[in-house]
Amino acid sequence: MEFVSGYRDEFLDFAALLFGWFRKFAAERGAAGASLEARGRQLEAQIRRLPQDPALWVLHVLPNRSVGISLGQGAEPGPGLGLGAARFLGDEPPLHLRDLSPYVSFVSLEEEAEEAGEGEEENGEPEGAGREKVDPQEDGEPAPTSRESPQEANPPGGPEKAQPEAAAGGGGRDGCREDKAEDEGVPERRKGRRSEAAPLHLSCLLLVTDEHGTILGIDLLMDRAQGGAGKGSGPEKLAPRAYGLLCHSMACPMGSGDPRKPRQLTVGDAQLHRELESLVPRLGVKLAKTPMRTWGPRPGFTFASLRARTCHVCHRHSFEVKLTPCPQCSAVLYCGESCLRADWRRCPDDVSHRFWCPRLAAFMDRTGELAALPFTYTAEVTSETFNKEAFLASRGLTRGYWTQLSMLLPGPGTPRHPRGSTPSLSLLLSGDPYQLLQGDGPALMPPVPPDPPRGLFGSWQDYYTWRGLGLDSPMAVLLTYPLTVYYVITHLVPQSFPELNIQNKQSLKIHVVEAGKEFDLVMVFWELSVLLPHVALELQFVGDGLPPESDQQHFTLQRDGPEVSVRSGSGVSGRLSSGTKEKGSRRDLQIKVSARPYHLLQGPKPDLVIGFNSGFGLKDTWLSSLPRLQSLRVPAFFTESSEYGCVMDDQTMAVATGGGTSPPRPNPFRSPFRLRAADNCMPWYCNAFIFHLVYKPPQGSGARPAPGPAPLAPTPAAPPAPARRRRGEKKPGRGARRRR
């Protein structure tokens, strides 16, 4: 697929932006060599002529003493900068953070030191021999720093994400809080996959932001964790690096906006502040009188969502070149006429922009329709410049399931959803299935209405009114998954498959295929039992992206009056409900997990199959799973984040089975958050469109049927009367009968 905006982990786009900017910064710094001072004088003269930014700029100093970076076999040094830009910016970029695990992972330097100490004790060596490596150290050489930059693309996200949760402690004054948050919140640490070489140590991170949290520049100080004992990198060594970073951040800001210099600058380290007192005024910038001791982040401070815009062809970022959309469709971003011409003339023709341009223009025409939502915050969250991190932080949505939508990492002591374990048994402590949907403020979900819904809901506004939610509630972002399933059961299946009579069934078995994020949000599906109280539901999450340790797990949520109890597959109750049990009112929601591709799943046939933001063209297992669905011939509905994805899914279905898909329709229960797109301007929303599979007829006629129920079989005609036998003709088969 040409565009992966709705499928790629947002953190990878963020890492690509950090890596691209740092690579450019390190290359220019290394190219200066002995002429570093001359280059500095050139930059100073250039910066003095820049316009002034009225916002305060902050230079954060974030030391790291706990987390190291372990390189796998796929990241062995080679030509170029280590891991290589293609891993983030190339034609086949990774879609998920776990895709980088063969190349880079995080390790605890404290555990490394403890293991080394234990080994030395066994060998009779001093215990403290290897424990000094956690001290910050800078080698002062630019080449090794730039060489290791690709592996550093993920670690910078750690301190930045933890910053909002540590904001109450004064932000980036000493960096210690950020270090601990990074250590506590690293999601991809894999103890069993380490390279033979000692892990790399990101000893210190220099970060330039404005007072609103927009990241403007970054510098990474690396050393090897092993053998790191020695004198640390004092602030006097940081001063030249910090000054060069400030100059580059003004001349080429990573975040949005043109080159500019700040009205005032404050520094998060007292000694570094003293070293910069004689340097910063050369740029025409006023340095704060004191270091960042009394200043702290504002209440709404967060590291702003960066719009990592890139050219669709050469993948250069907006801080390197000026990007403009195609003048005809306004959908695809290019850095210039040469990239536009190259994309226009690509071969074969059906992958060229010449072929796609009119279609993309039609997709762009749906922008207003997709943004037509009833919420009070609609204009903000459907904007191309939507700052999701600020939206979530300003509403206190920084814990529980809301962290699945954000790039925030949990801070120290924050309870987490241990992926792969049964979430209900570990976190559903009060019998409230909406516990993980709450923010830092008052309860976001009102009590369940005493009476079941009398009609069918076809829009967010109808559902919000019945549920007692105000239109300023952001719950639609999480509830898009169960409400989409509800819409399929109550509206789409009766329209497309009326012969199934699905609305009158008392139990439904539903397969959620290629599940990933949906399983991480499993408790939101409890809302289905509220909307469909007369139906006993079984949801089976299937996909090889699920944690292997969760395979074959099974637990049941039981509604006992106002309470909810949890029962594992073994029959042991996870929490005894305090409510009175009423046999007539109990409705169960069974959850099963199968961590395998769908075509390898064994078991009874489901009543319904559904997949969220499927992306058939992005995963090879669909070429086997779609024929499996063709053989089952069950109603199968899928959502996509854009019309482009629907077209690609139809093509993949035709290749895999000879069938197709129904015309996509906008999903009234789509997420209101507009997804960020790197190389295009198309509107992307989670669960934006919905369609169902149209199976090839069993007789294999080759013609693709129209979507909808199968036509009635024609009435067979009467057989023709046998012709009269002429004189002299023998009856057929008489000789054979005579031989018998």
Side-chain angles (χ1 to χ4, degrees):
M1 295 176 68
E2 288 292 310
F3 304 101
V4 295
S5 304
Y7 314 97
R8 194 183 189 204
D9 286 349
E10 188 178 7
F11 188 84
L12 291 177
D13 283 333
F14 178 76
L17 178 64
L18 292 179
F19 166 64
W21 193 92
F22 177 75
R23 182 183 59 167
K24 181 176 184 295
F25 170 50
E28 292 185 2
R29 182 179 58 197
S35 60
L36 186 61
E37 294 184 4
R39 171 63 177 162
R41 288 193 294 270
Q42 264 187 334
L43 268 178
E44 289 173 358
Q46 177 185 348
I47 290 171
R48 281 194 293 267
R49 296 191 294 267
L50 292 178
Q52 194 175 74
D53 187 348
L56 173 71
W57 284 24
V58 184
L59 174 60
H60 305 267
V61 183
L62 309 177
N64 168 46
R65 299 178 178 89
S66 303
V67 179
I69 306 168
S70 179
L71 305 183
Q73 294 181 355
E76 292 300 326
L81 298 175
L83 185 61
R87 294 302 308 166
F88 291 110
L89 311 174
D91 293 329
E92 296 183 2
L95 297 179
H96 306 287
L97 195 59
R98 63 176 179 269
D99 296 338
L100 295 180
S101 58
Y103 302 91
V104 59
S105 58
F106 297 111
V107 296
S108 170
L109 297 181
E110 296 173 351
E111 292 180 3
E112 291 274 335
E114 291 175 1
E115 293 174 1
E118 291 174 0
E120 289 164 359
E121 285 181 347
E122 293 175 359
N123 295 329
E125 297 179 4
E127 180 182 357
R131 298 197 178 224
E132 295 298 323
K133 62 185 177 184
V134 297
D135 292 338
Q137 181 178 359
E138 178 190 0
D139 54 15
E141 296 295 328
T145 303
S146 63
R147 182 172 180 79
E148 303 298 348
S149 61
Q151 288 79 22
E152 298 145 16
N154 285 339
E160 290 121 29
K161 308 303 169 301
Q163 175 75 14
E165 299 188 12
R173 271 177 281 183
D174 56 7
C176 295
R177 294 181 181 269
E178 290 82 351
D179 303 337
K180 294 181 181 296
E182 180 185 43
D183 183 29
E184 294 281 337
V186 170
E188 290 292 318
R189 192 176 73 188
R190 301 181 184 269
K191 298 179 182 179
R193 305 187 67 172
R194 298 178 183 174
S195 60
E196 296 180 359
L200 297 172
H201 178 208
L202 172 61
S203 60
C204 187
L205 184 146
L206 299 177
L207 189 69
V208 180
T209 73
D210 64 13
E211 59 185 305
H212 307 295
T214 303
I215 300 178
L216 303 166
I218 188 173
D219 194 5
L220 312 172
L221 281 64
M222 299 290 298
D223 58 45
R224 287 276 179 184
Q226 188 177 19
K231 61 181 181 179
S233 57
E236 67 278 1
K237 291 187 177 181
L238 288 180
R241 296 281 287 262
Y243 184 69
L245 174 63
L246 287 170
C247 292
H248 199 75
S249 301
M250 298 176 197
C252 182
M254 183 191 305
S256 58
D258 296 325
R260 59 197 185 276
K261 62 183 179 182
R263 172 186 55 84
Q264 190 176 23
L265 173 73
T266 184
V267 183
D269 182 272
Q271 190 168 350
L272 180 59
H273 180 275
R274 289 193 295 271
E275 294 291 330
L276 292 176
E277 282 180 344
S278 60
L279 298 176
V280 172
R282 299 180 188 174
L283 307 175
V285 175
K286 181 181 178 182
L287 185 66
K289 294 182 179 179
T290 58
M292 192 171 55
R293 291 177 179 173
T294 58
W295 182 89
R298 297 179 178 180
F301 177 88
T302 180
F303 287 102
S305 300
L306 295 181
R307 289 169 292 282
R309 291 299 181 89
T310 61
C311 174
H312 178 62
V313 176
C314 67
H315 310 294
R316 286 191 291 176
H317 281 93
S318 54
F319 58 79
E320 300 175 273
V321 291
K322 183 178 180 180
L323 301 176
T324 55
C326 168
Q328 297 187 32
C329 65
S330 301
V332 187
L333 294 173
Y334 300 101
C335 64
E337 190 68 24
S338 59
C339 283
L340 174 58
R341 283 198 303 267
D343 198 30
W344 189 267
R345 301 170 180 172
R346 287 178 64 184
C347 293
D349 184 66
D350 59 355
V351 301
S352 67
H353 187 66
R354 175 172 52 192
F355 174 83
W356 281 98
C357 191
R359 294 189 178 192
L360 298 181
F363 299 162
M364 292 291 292
D365 292 339
R366 305 291 286 268
T367 302
E369 179 183 357
L370 293 175
L373 295 166
F375 308 109
T376 58
Y377 49 81
T378 295
E380 177 184 358
V381 300
T382 59
S383 169
E384 263 196 285
T385 59
F386 172 44
N387 186 349
K388 183 174 65 177
E389 301 301 326
F391 180 91
L392 296 174
S394 64
R395 288 163 173 79
L397 307 177
T398 56
R399 63 185 181 93
Y401 279 167
W402 297 101
T403 59
Q404 300 289 337
L405 305 175
S406 168
M407 293 191 296
L408 290 170
L409 296 178
T414 303
R416 282 175 235 144
H417 167 20
R419 193 170 191 235
S421 64
T422 306
S424 55
L425 297 179
S426 59
L427 294 174
L428 188 60
L429 303 178
S430 64
D432 180 10
Y434 306 110
Q435 178 181 354
L436 294 174
L437 279 65
Q438 305 303 332
D440 294 332
L444 295 177
M445 286 297 290
V448 175
D451 299 324
R454 297 181 179 179
L456 301 179
F457 304 128
S459 67
W460 279 121
Q461 187 158 8
D462 294 341
Y463 165 75
Y464 264 47
T465 301
W466 173 79
R467 200 59 173 83
L469 291 165
L471 292 178
D472 58 343
S473 171
M475 290 303 301
V477 183
L478 295 177
L479 294 175
T480 176
Y481 296 100
L483 266 295
T484 297
V485 178
Y486 166 83
Y487 182 66
V488 169
I489 295 173
T490 59
H491 288 74
L492 300 186
V493 173
Q495 292 175 12
S496 302
F497 304 93
E499 69 279 4
L500 298 179
N501 199 21
I502 195 171
Q503 289 179 305
N504 293 327
K505 291 191 175 184
Q506 296 185 354
S507 63
L508 286 175
K509 184 188 297 290
I510 302 173
H511 287 177
V512 182
V513 296
E514 291 299 333
K517 180 185 295 184
E518 299 80 31
F519 179 65
D520 291 337
L521 304 174
V522 64
M523 292 306 295
V524 303
F525 289 94
W526 173 251
E527 190 69 7
L528 283 172
S529 66
V530 176
L531 291 164
L532 303 171
H534 61 285
V535 182
L537 295 167
E538 178 186 305
L539 296 182
Q540 185 164 359
F541 293 85
V542 187
D544 57 355
L546 295 171
E549 59 271 19
S550 68
D551 189 32
Q552 302 303 312
Q553 282 192 359
H554 175 204
F555 60 97
T556 303
L557 305 182
Q558 295 176 337
R559 182 177 179 181
D560 301 320
E563 298 287 338
V564 176
S565 61
V566 182
R567 182 165 50 85
S568 64
S570 60
V572 180
S573 177
R575 192 197 66 84
L576 295 178
S577 172
S578 59
T580 304
K581 296 182 179 180
E582 300 177 6
K583 294 182 179 180
S585 64
R586 171 175 289 184
R587 288 296 179 264
D588 296 348
L589 175 62
Q590 296 188 51
I591 304 293
K592 296 183 178 180
V593 185
S594 297
R596 63 196 66 186
Y598 190 74
H599 63 278
L600 299 180
L601 179 68
Q602 302 294 327
K605 183 177 177 180
D607 299 298
L608 176 66
V609 171
I610 191 166
F612 298 99
N613 308 300
S614 45
F616 293 168
L618 294 174
K619 198 170 184 182
D620 293 339
T621 53
W622 281 113
L623 297 177
S624 300
S625 297
L626 291 174
R628 169 66 173 162
L629 290 171
Q630 166 87 20
S631 65
L632 293 175
R633 305 190 74 82
V634 295
F637 287 80
F638 295 89
T639 68
E640 276 294 357
S641 51
S642 71
E643 275 189 289
Y644 170 81
C646 297
V647 174
M648 301 304 296
D649 289 350
D650 180 72
Q651 294 180 4
T652 306
M653 179 66 178
V655 171
T657 69
T661 63
S662 66
R665 64 175 72 190
N667 179 12
F669 294 105
R670 60 190 173 273
S671 170
F673 279 11
R674 181 167 181 170
L675 302 177
R676 189 183 314 150
D679 59 353
N680 65 89
C681 304
M682 286 185 286
W684 301 77
Y685 294 86
C686 181
N687 300 326
F689 292 89
I690 193 166
F691 62 86
H692 67 81
L693 299 185
V694 178
Y695 300 121
K696 183 179 179 180
Q699 65 272 19
S701 62
R704 292 180 58 181
L712 297 176
T715 303
R724 184 176 180 181
R725 183 167 48 89
R726 295 180 183 179
R727 182 179 300 176
E729 289 182 355
K730 294 182 179 181
K731 292 183 179 180
R734 178 176 295 181
R737 285 195 297 269
R738 192 163 42 242
R739 281 194 296 271
R740 285 199 299 271

